[in-house]
Amino acid sequence: MSDDSEEACLVRPRSPSLSGAPAGTMQYTHGLTDSHLQAHNNNNNSNHHSTHSQGSHSTARGSQSESGELIDYSDDVILSQFHADAIKQAGFGKFQLIASIIAGLGLAGHAIQVYAVFYIIPSAEVEYCILDTEKSWLGSITLLGMALGALLWGGLAGRAGRRKSLLSCLGVCGVFSVIAAFMPTYGPFMMARFCAAAGIGGALPTASVYLCELTPVNFRARILGLLGAFGVAGGLVAGAIATSTVPGTGQQVVLENKEHFSAWHRYLLLSTLPTFASILGLFWLPESPRYLLENSREVEALTIYQKIYQNNRTRGGYSLTELELPGTRTHRNLPTSVLQEMATSVALFFGSFFQLFNVVNIKRTLLLFAAWTATIFIYHGLTIYIAEYSKSTESENYYRNTINKDNMSFENADFNKSIENIIYTNCRFVNCTFRRMFISHVTFNNCTFLDTEFTNVKTSRTQFKFSTLENIGLIDTDLTERHFVDCVTHNITTIRLFSTCDRDFEYNIYLDALWESHFGALLPGMVLMILVGEGCHRFGRSRTATLCFGFAISLTITFAFLYHDLQVVWTAGSAQGLMLAGIAALTLLAIESYTTNLRCTAVGFFVCGGHIGALMGAPLYAAFPVTSSKVAAIISTIFLSVPISSAIILKDPCLLL
């Protein structure tokens, strides 16, 4: 869609100068097309019926707003037209770019919360001694918290304001992220992580709507693409910090675990820096003027337009004054007590969700919800699958280099260097000492140990099978009965501190392979998020989303026939980037499709659906065989039919906010 076509959607008043109009008149009703008014009237009529069903007062001409005001059915289009003119005069420049950076830092915290889980699991497993099911809950509790937070803060932003809601959700995330970093046990840590995730879950719906309402129509798609690029970059930041902070091998994890405040706790603290930076920046930013107009705070809105203009330093004088403000709406039936105000707020909060399913909105709501759920189902599932695929490739290479030692004899030998990836068969160890070392992926098959001592030894995936052990000392080791399979033992002396955790921790955590898989998925996504804004601006929201999902399907089909690790990672990663670009285009479409009081609620509802999809996709993709990518490719291709169908059916709305 070109600049001209975007401008065509904005219907200008017939009188170019309105400075002479008396204050309090609704100048922006003149010049609006009948079709435009009818579209807004239909939406407002629908919202009126929904509000009336909640017991609010209404007349034949209007319905009561959240603040108790009587709003004309045509008010939404009048305010939208005024906002479009005012924000255009304020211009695009330094203000919007700084705002996108500040909001983008908050959105980066959203990705950091998701991707940080992958990097802390090995360390958390050792420190908290958690089972495999509990490890999976580390990721699930994060997604569950984000789903709830998106729903909660999405609805709150429509009532309390965009900036205030964004500040509160980032504040909750920052505080509880710091608390989680200091939690010494699994239960409190999970509770803190859940609260932090619930906070950051509100960042995406609030920040995207907030930034769109601060930007002129011709730059809205581009600025939202830039915001999305910041969000994707958060995943890269999480990985980059992890590679320089978190232990890269299992041995390092075990040694780090002895510290009071180990590396992964410091990593969680460092990961909160973008969130706190965004919080500080938001104190400089104003509230959304479109929200203020909706709540009869026209003078405050005009002040913000002028502030944006001053920051952008647009040429010429700012022409809008208080004389051009839309007419003041009549206040009626305001709450008379705190209790009544609370009850009204709760009713309006839940009422906004019901309005998403009224006659006017239900088709659009269901299509966008399905698109979000299916897309993030695939995206998060592929993130897990590709990580496991890369780890599996590394594991195959590791076992391919296994050393076999047969029929060897060791007498009076002192083993003080780590032993790794070796199979001893029919070997004898007489009067030997294994001291201050790691034994990883070692099998002693049909071996004999006589007068041998193991001191300060840690093991991983190590077993003694069909072996004979006599006069053996186990001093400060993690060797227990499960390490000895069908062995003959005599005179075994065990000395060690009592431990409630008897787990066989995998030392091969393949942190580098994990980082490479994430890098291959996130870098294309960041580039495509920047480009999708230009695509939406030139070709329209629906058409751009359709193209993105169509190309994503072609890549998932190609992905099924690839076997080399790098090819699989970058092909699947490019498909994931296209999915994010498509969902960004649909998010912009959603923001422009719903009325001001509903758009945050709507986007929050769709983001919630996305996180629910991720919750469902994670265990499914984790169960797919990593020896072949065909199953993952087929499932991804099938589910991608949902968002591409939604994008084809949905039509671009008028661009007035």
Side-chain angles (χ1 to χ4, degrees):
M1 183 181 290
S2 65
D3 293 357
D4 293 338
S5 59
E6 285 195 354
E7 287 290 342
C9 194
L10 299 176
V11 185
R12 299 291 175 219
R14 288 177 183 170
S15 302
S17 175
L18 300 173
S19 57
T25 60
M26 296 197 179
Q27 301 93 338
Y28 280 81
T29 56
H30 300 293
L32 296 171
T33 63
D34 294 338
S35 60
H36 192 179
L37 280 171
Q38 184 63 37
H40 280 266
N41 286 344
N42 289 340
N43 204 10
N44 285 328
N45 278 323
S46 169
N47 294 343
H48 159 63
H49 292 311
S50 176
T51 308
H52 183 71
S53 66
Q54 299 171 33
S56 62
H57 298 277
S58 62
T59 68
R61 194 169 166 266
S63 61
Q64 190 174 345
S65 75
E66 62 199 62
S67 59
E69 304 163 358
L70 189 68
I71 302 178
D72 287 343
Y73 289 144
S74 60
D75 271 2
D76 188 67
V77 66
I78 296 167
L79 297 178
S80 296
Q81 180 68 65
F82 176 82
H83 173 71
D85 290 336
I87 201 70
K88 182 184 179 184
Q89 290 188 46
F92 177 85
K94 182 176 70 173
F95 178 87
Q96 283 82 6
L97 292 176
I98 294 175
S100 67
I101 293 172
I102 293 171
L105 287 171
L107 201 57
H110 183 279
I112 289 173
Q113 288 291 326
V114 174
Y115 282 91
V117 174
F118 293 97
Y119 298 102
I120 67 173
I121 281 180
S123 299
E125 179 185 3
V126 172
E127 183 169 333
Y128 295 151
C129 191
I130 56 180
L131 304 172
D132 290 338
T133 54
E134 293 172 322
K135 283 194 295 183
S136 65
W137 263 105
L138 277 172
S140 298
I141 201 72
T142 301
L143 294 172
L144 191 62
M146 287 181 171
L148 180 63
L151 209 61
L152 176 64
W153 265 279
L156 184 64
R159 305 294 163 219
R162 287 43 164 151
R163 175 181 170 275
K164 187 184 297 184
S165 298
L166 188 55
L167 264 173
S168 63
C169 73
L170 293 178
V172 168
C173 175
V175 169
F176 281 99
S177 293
V178 172
I179 292 174
F182 289 93
M183 288 296 100
T185 55
Y186 178 74
F189 174 77
M190 292 291 281
M191 286 298 299
R193 283 287 298 176
F194 175 79
C195 294
I200 203 64
L204 177 54
T206 309
S208 57
V209 172
Y210 177 55
L211 205 57
C212 283
E213 292 179 344
L214 290 173
T215 307
V217 60
N218 288 341
F219 301 93
R220 191 185 302 152
R222 295 158 178 164
I223 207 71
L224 190 64
L226 181 61
L227 178 68
F230 270 100
V232 177
L236 291 172
V237 171
I241 296 176
T243 53
S244 59
T245 307
V246 176
T249 65
Q251 292 92 330
Q252 292 175 347
V253 169
V254 172
L255 293 173
E256 276 282 339
N257 187 48
K258 296 179 180 179
E259 296 187 14
H260 177 66
F261 194 69
S262 54
W264 72 283
H265 293 286
R266 297 192 293 271
Y267 168 67
L268 289 177
L269 283 180
L270 288 173
S271 298
T272 64
L273 292 179
T275 301
F276 283 111
S278 180
I279 292 173
L280 292 176
L282 280 170
F283 285 105
W284 176 81
L285 293 178
E287 180 55 83
S288 163
R290 184 64 184 88
Y291 167 80
L292 295 175
L293 287 176
E294 186 72 13
N295 289 272
S296 295
R297 296 160 64 180
E298 292 91 351
V299 176
E300 293 178 57
L302 182 60
T303 302
I304 292 171
Y305 293 130
Q306 292 170 342
K307 178 181 179 180
I308 296 173
Y309 166 80
Q310 291 168 359
N311 278 275
N312 289 333
R313 296 180 181 177
T314 306
R315 294 181 180 179
Y318 193 71
S319 59
L320 279 178
T321 66
E322 292 188 26
L323 293 176
E324 281 80 33
L325 291 173
T328 304
R329 288 167 283 178
T330 306
H331 290 257
R332 295 184 183 180
N333 301 314
L334 293 173
T336 57
S337 66
V338 175
L339 186 62
Q340 183 182 354
E341 184 175 358
M342 290 176 61
T344 302
S345 298
V346 171
L348 289 168
F349 178 85
F350 288 103
S352 62
F353 290 101
F354 292 116
Q355 289 182 39
L356 298 179
F357 297 94
N358 61 26
V359 176
V360 173
N361 295 323
I362 185 169
K363 178 181 177 181
R364 182 192 310 119
T365 299
L366 292 178
L367 287 172
L368 287 169
F369 182 83
W372 259 93
T373 304
T375 302
I376 306 303
F377 170 89
I378 303 164
Y379 181 88
H380 191 72
L382 282 177
T383 299
I384 292 176
Y385 178 80
I386 297 304
E388 292 301 318
Y389 188 95
S390 296
K391 290 181 180 180
S392 175
T393 302
E394 292 293 320
S395 181
E396 288 178 6
N397 294 333
Y398 178 82
Y399 284 112
R400 196 175 292 121
N401 296 319
T402 300
I403 299 173
N404 290 281
K405 295 188 177 183
D406 302 332
N407 301 309
M408 299 181 66
S409 180
F410 302 89
E411 294 186 13
N412 303 316
D414 186 9
F415 296 89
N416 54 17
K417 294 183 179 179
S418 295
I419 302 174
E420 184 174 2
N421 201 19
I422 299 176
I423 298 176
Y424 292 95
T425 305
N426 299 322
C427 294
R428 286 176 59 84
F429 297 85
V430 180
N431 197 27
C432 294
T433 301
F434 294 81
R435 190 188 308 273
R436 293 187 181 92
M437 61 183 299
F438 292 94
I439 302 178
S440 177
H441 293 81
V442 175
T443 301
F444 297 97
N445 189 25
N446 198 29
C447 294
T448 300
F449 294 84
L450 298 175
D451 302 316
T452 297
E453 182 179 293
F454 295 84
T455 302
N456 195 10
V457 172
K458 302 298 180 185
T459 65
S460 171
R461 303 297 192 263
T462 294
Q463 284 189 323
F464 299 79
K465 295 182 177 180
F466 312 108
S467 298
T468 300
L469 298 94
E470 186 173 350
N471 299 329
I472 304 300
L474 305 178
I475 303 171
D476 191 21
T477 73
D478 58 5
L479 293 171
T480 60
E481 292 181 358
R482 62 179 172 79
H483 291 89
F484 303 98
V485 180
D486 295 327
C487 292
V488 177
T489 60
H490 179 67
N491 194 22
I492 305 294
T493 302
T494 303
I495 301 175
R496 66 168 173 264
L497 294 175
F498 176 77
S499 175
T500 57
C501 184
D502 182 18
R503 299 293 312 282
D504 190 9
F505 173 58
E506 172 62 83
Y507 285 170
N508 294 337
I509 59 178
Y510 302 117
L511 189 70
D512 290 339
L514 178 65
W515 163 238
E516 289 171 3
S517 70
H518 288 168
F519 186 82
L522 292 168
L523 185 61
M526 189 170 65
V527 174
L528 287 166
M529 288 297 284
I530 295 174
L531 296 177
V532 75
E534 188 66 27
C536 289
H537 176 71
R538 294 187 177 277
F539 306 113
R541 287 62 167 144
S542 176
R543 187 180 301 174
T544 301
T546 303
L547 289 172
C548 288
F549 291 125
F551 283 120
I553 287 178
S554 66
L555 286 179
T556 55
I557 294 173
T558 304
F559 161 62
F561 300 97
L562 301 176
Y563 298 95
H564 191 271
D565 183 36
L566 286 178
Q567 293 175 347
V568 170
V569 168
W570 284 93
T571 302
S574 299
Q576 288 178 279
L578 286 165
M579 293 177 210
L580 288 181
I583 212 68
L586 289 183
T587 300
L588 181 58
L589 185 148
I591 292 172
E592 295 169 340
S593 297
Y594 291 89
T595 55
T596 306
N597 63 321
L598 287 183
R599 60 175 61 107
C600 281
T601 304
V603 178
F605 180 63
F606 304 144
V607 174
C608 174
H611 290 310
I612 292 173
L615 273 171
M616 296 186 296
L620 180 64
Y621 277 80
F624 290 158
V626 292
T627 54
S628 173
S629 55
K630 285 185 171 56
V631 176
I634 291 171
I635 295 298
S636 300
T637 303
I638 292 173
F639 275 88
L640 271 174
S641 63
V642 176
I644 195 172
S645 299
S646 299
I648 292 172
I649 296 171
L650 290 167
K651 303 301 180 185
D652 284 3
C654 189
L655 304 179
L656 288 177
L657 288 181

